[in-house]
Amino acid sequence: MVTDKMVDYPQFLNLMNKEWLVNHKVSEDKKLELRLGPPGEALDDNRNTTHGTKRAFQHTAETRTGEKEWPIDTTKNQCQKISCIEKIGDKVNLPPTPWSSGSTIYSAFSKDTKEEPQHSKASFFQNLPVSKKLAGMAEDFKQPCSPRMAVGEVQFADGKACCSLATADPDASTNITSNKRIEYSPVVGWPPIRSFRKNIASNSLSKPASSNDKDTGGKPENPKTQLFVKINMEGIPIGRKVNLSAYNSYEELSLAIDDLFSGLLAAQRDPSATQNESKAKESAKAEAGPLAGSGEYTLIYEDDEGDRVLVGDVPWNMFVSTAKRLHVLKSSELSTLQICSNEKEKAPFDPAVHI
Amino acid sequence: MAEQMSDDDERQQSPPSDLDFTSNKARTCIVTGSVSGHSEFQSLYPDQVLENVLENVLHFLTSRRDRNSASLVCKSWYRVEALTRSELFIGNCYAVSPARATARFTRVRALHLKGRPRFADFNLMPPDWGAHFNPWVLAFAKACPWLEKVYLKRMSVTDDDLATLAESFLGFKELVLVCCDGFGTSGLAIFVSKCRQLKVLDLIESEVSDDETDWISCFPEGESHLESLIFDCVECPINFEALERLVARSPSLKKLRLNRYVSIGQLYRLMVQAPQLTHLGTGSFSPSEVAGQGDQEPDYVTAFAACKSLVCLSGFREIIPDYLPAIYPICASLTSLNFSYANITAEQLKPIISNCHKLQVFWVLDSICDEGLQAVAATCKELRELRVFPVDAREDSDGPVSEVGFQAISEGCRKLQSILYFCQRMTNAAVIAMSRNCPDLVVFRLCIMGRHRPDHVTGEPMDDGFGAIVMNCKKLTRLAVSGLLTDKAFDYIGRYGKLVRTLSVAFAGDSDMALKYVLEGCPQLQKLEIRDSPFGDAALCSGLHHYYNMRFLWMSSCRLTHQGCQQIARAMPRLVVEVIRSADEEEVYDRVQTLYMYRSLEGPRNDAPKFVTIL
């Protein structure tokens, strides 16, 4: 419980309602009933409704004696809280938990409680599994969401909806933790770590064990999620990197490379880059349209033995595991290069390999 | 880490620094009492003397905020201030045009520009959004050829821009690129070869394309003026022999940060050449595969011991912990230690940290666990800045650090001013404890990685913890919140966070009230970045009185609509309101995915890509 420590900081406690704390303690022993519904709906309605993206969570406390406390909040929000609840005709004595009040206030400020179209994430909300323990603790727990609950305490999933779903994880007591975790699909840019700080575990773990070929440019240390290889386009001095493990087929890779370089070519053609007089610009002008479709360019790669091979010769997975560099060359130049198809080159070195 | 300091670390008040509406405020400067009522300044001899005096005096004014205030006194002061401003800071490159900047400030020696908003670092914005350095370098090349220093953050710099820099500014001395992209080793090669007076080349957390150009060899021969060479973010091999020769002929070199392609054996050779270093980034801190063929290992301990001025140590990109004891000799003098790439355990850390009595800045991975943090707290009584990064940056991983280590730090490091802490579990009690133990906190950034995660002991929202921070830490200017938060947390922030300038919010709040509390309560708020929180148009409108005082507002995946943003755009003509879609999305939805708005003297920019709509 947190309250012991909080009592050590009376300065801060003045901000909070001590009585609220006490009641909160008291409430943990009471059985509480959870109901869900958007504000304005009759509480007797036990249907699950997920319309609108905000929900107010209300509960009824079975035993609550003369509780009138609210958090110390003298703004008019407090009055709104009370009036909202009264409007709903709720006889519930809501404990002055901060977030339950928050969820009823918004009607004054947002226009969209009822007319909001169902948010795409609302369906995600419905699909969350409910742990048995949770279901056991709340009698009327209808909606398959996961309010945060600790042992013996009542939690309320808050009313936010657009992104937010009741989360996983009250690690309060040891035995419940893993049950309560609910899997989220990963979200872009969260946690907010820049990409060069990721993959540290794999980099350091692989270092002593294997002999890494750092000079290949790829990152074989982390095959699961990242397999960057350098790719150079003929005529463009600036190379790029592509993540081979992000694609599942040659078509996808080809499109991605197309995107990668067409932007670069377009930038080179841009007349505002007044200082650019490299021949790269000239060759870029010669390029007609998308790389993939025009047939003007060909993709080749260097494998782990240093041989240059035409992309597309081997099954995709084999390509991903052996490709170390990629090159985009003009089709007209191919004849002058030493390119071999995979079958011819591999056989003398390793006749046992079946291609 | 000086390069990571944002202007939030400076404790200064902040009137708008990148805009001046001086035309309304210019008054006649009354000199001898005889020219009141005239708006033109008479060129009389006594006035000339006064202007010269003013110029000489204003030269000493260095703080940009003081200068902005001085420029508002009257037209004469405005003019003289503009002539004497040598360092130009522009916090948002789109707030003012290069033409306007060069027209007003003609004698600028140093240019400091910031571009993209910070959330762009986390892929919340498609690439190629903008913030191009090109128009700036071209304008300054024409108007201010005596420019010597350029500091860019989150801008796109091309190889050609680097060439222009080197060719157009003969005395160019310092280039610092933080979180920039768009250039490669060929651009670097041209730049270093032409910049004969170069003292500082710092590439920090920037993306540098590998064009396989050996740029290290391109430094001109002969004695170099290099004082700082930082390239730890450059992800490609370098020519070590050329680097060794460069270091040998750079007697002024004080700061050297190597990338991970430099092995520890190579590091040794460099350290022997440059014992005068004050800042060292060690590179990989592991042997290359070639080494160790029965060769005797160099005496790393002696090499470190010889660097008597070393105060800042970083690198350790692919650390073999066996080599850590090499740094024992300098631990006692270190003021800054960056282990944020070193996946080491508490046991490996303890012998090091127990000697780092003078440490003020410490960046580390959470692999050291709570136990490691306790060791830090036990020794580093001078600690000012702590950053704890996650080894495994996923939401559902097991976190090795928690409120235990956090509280230990708060109890041991009472002088703490800045903290960035990633964890999976936290409690209000620990945060409250820190608010009490560390009253000097200026920057408080807590990232509980699981979204909406409450206090894991009580199950309550984290409102009270963050509330205590804003209440008790009276110097707080930068705050990043996380965990389960209701509107109440924002009520606290609005009520007590009177000095807060930067606020980062993600997956928090219940309703528009939260945003309203902040916009109405925080008069110093300049940078507000919000993602995935339920704030809508009404909340947005509640900040109309304040948006001109802010550098920017970012809101992504909130509940804004086009009409709402349109209203703001109409109400505030000097605000540029950008609605950003993901790159492949057509503009059909009413809901706004990302809003990025900022004050500007120039109106809508003309380089916006097609996924940006400016209202």
Side-chain angles (χ1 to χ4, degrees), chain B residues 279-313:
Chain B
H279 295 57
L280 177 64
T282 65
S284 68
F285 213 69
S286 57
S288 64
E289 304 88 36
V290 183
Q293 295 162 346
D295 298 342
Q296 198 168 7
E297 289 258 50
D299 186 357
Y300 298 116
V301 176
T302 305
F304 273 95
C307 293
K308 302 203 183 300
S309 316
L310 208 51
V311 291
C312 175
L313 197 57

Side-chain angles (χ1 to χ4, degrees), chain B residues 192-222:
Chain B
V192 304
S193 68
K194 302 205 175 176
C195 252
R196 305 254 147 187
Q197 308 294 324
L198 192 65
K199 287 190 182 171
V200 171
L201 176 58
D202 291 351
L203 305 171
I204 296 161
E205 295 183 3
S206 294
E207 203 181 302
V208 181
S209 313
D210 181 6
D211 316 324
E212 301 192 329
T213 313
D214 177 5
W215 58 283
I216 295 280
S217 305
C218 295
F219 278 90
E221 289 300 328

Side-chain angles (χ1 to χ4, degrees), chain A residues 50 52 55 118-128 144 161 165:
Chain A
T50 53
R55 293 170 194 78
Q118 183 156 10
H119 200 274
S120 58
K121 288 186 177 134
S123 53
F124 180 75
F125 198 94
Q126 283 178 307
N127 294 334
L128 293 174
L165 300 168

